[in-house]
Amino acid sequence: MRLRVFAATSLALLSLLPSIGAQAQASADDGRKLFVDGVAPLPACALCHTLKKAGASGQIGPDLDDLRPGADRVEKAMRNGIGPMPSFKTLTEVQIKTLAAYVAAVAGAP
């Protein structure tokens, strides 16, 4: 009986994998769009930062491929600002987390 329940549960979980992969891809696409296009009236990250996988070669802010920031560091910078970078308080929590996760993932954060 336990084996049947385990098998049924496993099959149910496996059926979710394609949607999980699609959600991860959607989040990566959303993060890239936020990085490249920004959210009006805020400037796009790509105007100031270099991030090769986003096709960005900004020269004002640090090169994110070299810096390799983790998501928490990106979130903190976006919320509080840092140096010449302003805070991005008009972004939603979801936008901040999506953008931070994207930057950390494609910059190769440790």
Side-chain angles (χ1 to χ4, degrees):
M1 180 64 178
R2 287 184 182 174
L3 184 57
R4 283 186 192 171
V5 171
F6 176 77
T9 303
S10 297
L11 286 173
L13 290 173
L14 285 174
S15 71
L16 294 175
L17 288 179
S19 65
I20 292 169
Q23 288 172 353
Q25 182 61 44
S27 292
D29 292 344
D30 292 344
R32 185 181 189 290
K33 182 168 178 41
L34 286 168
F35 189 89
V36 173
D37 298 337
V39 176
L42 301 171
C45 307
L47 291 175
C48 296
H49 295 282
T50 294
L51 188 61
K52 290 177 188 165
K53 289 191 177 178
S57 57
Q59 301 296 312
I60 297 168
D63 180 328
L64 298 174
D65 293 309
D66 290 340
L67 189 60
R68 299 175 57 204
D72 57 336
R73 186 172 180 182
V74 176
E75 285 184 36
K76 184 176 179 182
M78 289 190 325
R79 286 191 179 97
N80 303 324
I82 186 169
M85 180 177 151
S87 63
F88 287 79
K89 295 180 187 224
T90 58
L91 292 177
T92 68
E93 186 65 19
V94 170
Q95 289 170 323
I96 289 172
K97 290 198 173 294
T98 299
L99 185 50
Y102 171 75
V103 170
V106 301

